[in-house]
Amino acid sequence: MTPGGGPDDGLWLEDVEEGARYTTAEHEVTEDEVLSFARDFDPQAAHLDAAAARGTFFGGLVASGWHTAAISMRLNVTSGMPLANGWIGGHIEADWPTPTLVGDLLRVELAVREVRPSRSKPDRGMVVVDYETLNQHGEVRQRTTAHLLVFRRPEPTVG
Amino acid sequence: MTPGGGPDDGLWLEDVEEGARYTTAEHEVTEDEVLSFARDFDPQAAHLDAAAARGTFFGGLVASGWHTAAISMRLNVTSGMPLANGWIGGHIEADWPTPTLVGDLLRVELAVREVRPSRSKPDRGMVVVDYETLNQHGEVRQRTTAHLLVFRRPEPTVG
């Protein structure tokens, strides 16, 4: 692990290329985890109970959108764009075009939209990424834009 | 619970007023839950381990931004604006101006920015809300804008 908390061979600001693309590993969504996340963070009928969910707008059990967001984060930090200082998000925008279902095999596909060095702080910059969370049928469960704080490679300390 | 999944005396589209404000109950953030969320969804040094977190940008243990988002959702759906059909989010924007710390007593303060009836679907509309997640010292941990799908009160069924 680097001093920043990311992978040893991770990317610093000068290593990130506009247009670069990353695809994560996959994560299978289970009913247990949908219910567990709902109990902890989004206790609404559509996420809490398969029978009660039938009477809702969704017509059946669906994962909380925030659960999809959290799974996407896990995929990004464990098998997505490997930032040396880890993923430090400052601003995000997200849509949930379709709800995540039990049995979905989720992956994240990411593209670097922009690398924007800071004008005032020469040791860092902002990386803007667009990513989609998709299931095994290519259905988009979440569409996200994230602004990430990324540092330049630290200067070696001279004793 | 209404047929929509929200509280029995909850608000339908025609009940939501622009400018209305809601403040939720409070939730105390514990170290156990910060570490547990990190292990499940954001396994990075700053969220996973207090000692390792000292070497990161944050200088100590902080909650994942997605954890703050999830806690905010729980507060909103359990003690915030009581929508009769529950909270159905379509689009969100969020910033994390400061990181959530262990011991934070979080609450959400929400204001309804806009109620926008659908032109094509007369049974529903979009409610745009702005909310802030704050701790006991008034420090803003998350600033969010959410677009929520809200239905009109269903017509009584005539037999």
Side-chain angles (χ1 to χ4, degrees):
Chain A
M1 200 174 270
T2 68
D8 277 331
D9 57 350
L11 307 173
W12 298 99
L13 186 66
E14 60 268 41
D15 306 319
V16 179
E17 292 182 20
E18 291 181 358
R21 290 175 174 275
Y22 298 89
T23 299
T24 67
E26 289 180 322
H27 173 84
E28 184 173 353
V29 178
T30 67
E31 179 162 342
D32 274 357
E33 71 186 32
V34 168
L35 302 180
S36 169
F37 188 96
R39 281 191 298 266
D40 286 346
F41 299 115
D42 194 350
Q44 302 194 90
H47 314 311
L48 270 178
D49 181 280
R54 270 181 233 122
T56 70
F57 167 70
F58 296 103
L61 188 71
V62 301
S64 168
W66 298 104
H67 190 190
T68 306
I71 293 170
S72 303
M73 186 61 173
R74 184 185 177 91
L75 290 169
N76 278 322
V77 302
T78 55
S79 63
M81 181 172 63
L83 294 172
N85 56 239
W87 276 57
I88 306 172
H91 174 80
I92 54 114
E93 297 178 27
D95 288 277
W96 294 288
T98 59
T100 296
L101 304 178
V102 170
D104 272 359
L105 213 56
L106 298 180
R107 70 179 186 280
V108 175
E109 297 189 356
L110 177 147
V112 178
R113 187 202 295 185
E114 189 184 352
V115 177
R116 196 186 299 165
S118 168
R119 279 177 216 154
S120 57
K121 295 178 179 165
D123 66 338
R124 67 191 69 179
M126 198 62 83
V127 171
V128 184
V129 296
D130 297 307
Y131 62 84
E132 287 186 343
T133 308
L134 304 115
N135 73 356
Q136 66 273 36
H137 308 299
E139 293 167 307
V140 179
R141 299 314 198 194
Q142 185 176 312
R143 194 172 279 127
T144 314
T145 298
H147 293 230
L148 306 171
L149 175 62
V150 181
F151 288 86
R152 288 187 189 280
R153 183 173 279 102
E155 301 280 341
T157 306
V158 179
Chain B
M1 200 174 269
T2 67
D8 278 331
D9 56 351
L11 309 173
W12 299 100
L13 186 67
E14 59 270 41
D15 307 319
V16 180
E17 292 182 20
E18 291 181 358
R21 290 175 175 274
Y22 299 88
T23 298
T24 67
E26 289 178 321
H27 172 83
E28 185 174 354
V29 177
T30 68
E31 179 162 342
D32 275 359
E33 72 187 31
V34 168
L35 302 179
S36 167
F37 188 96
R39 282 190 296 267
D40 286 347
F41 298 116
D42 194 349
Q44 302 195 90
H47 314 310
L48 270 178
D49 180 280
R54 271 183 232 119
T56 71
F57 167 69
F58 295 103
L61 188 71
V62 300
S64 169
W66 297 105
H67 190 189
T68 305
I71 292 169
S72 303
M73 185 61 172
R74 183 186 177 90
L75 290 170
N76 279 322
V77 302
T78 56
S79 64
M81 182 171 64
L83 295 171
N85 56 239
W87 277 55
I88 306 172
H91 173 78
I92 55 114
E93 298 178 27
D95 287 277
W96 295 288
T98 59
T100 295
L101 304 178
V102 171
D104 272 359
L105 213 56
L106 296 180
R107 70 179 186 280
V108 175
E109 298 190 356
L110 177 147
V112 177
R113 187 202 295 185
E114 189 185 352
V115 177
R116 198 188 298 166
S118 169
R119 278 176 218 155
S120 57
K121 295 177 179 166
D123 67 339
R124 67 191 70 179
M126 198 63 82
V127 172
V128 183
V129 297
D130 297 307
Y131 62 86
E132 287 186 341
T133 308
L134 304 115
N135 73 358
Q136 66 274 36
H137 308 299
E139 292 166 308
V140 180
R141 299 315 198 192
Q142 185 175 312
R143 196 172 278 125
T144 315
T145 299
H147 294 231
L148 306 171
L149 175 61
V150 181
F151 287 85
R152 289 188 189 280
R153 183 173 279 101
E155 302 279 340
T157 308
V158 181

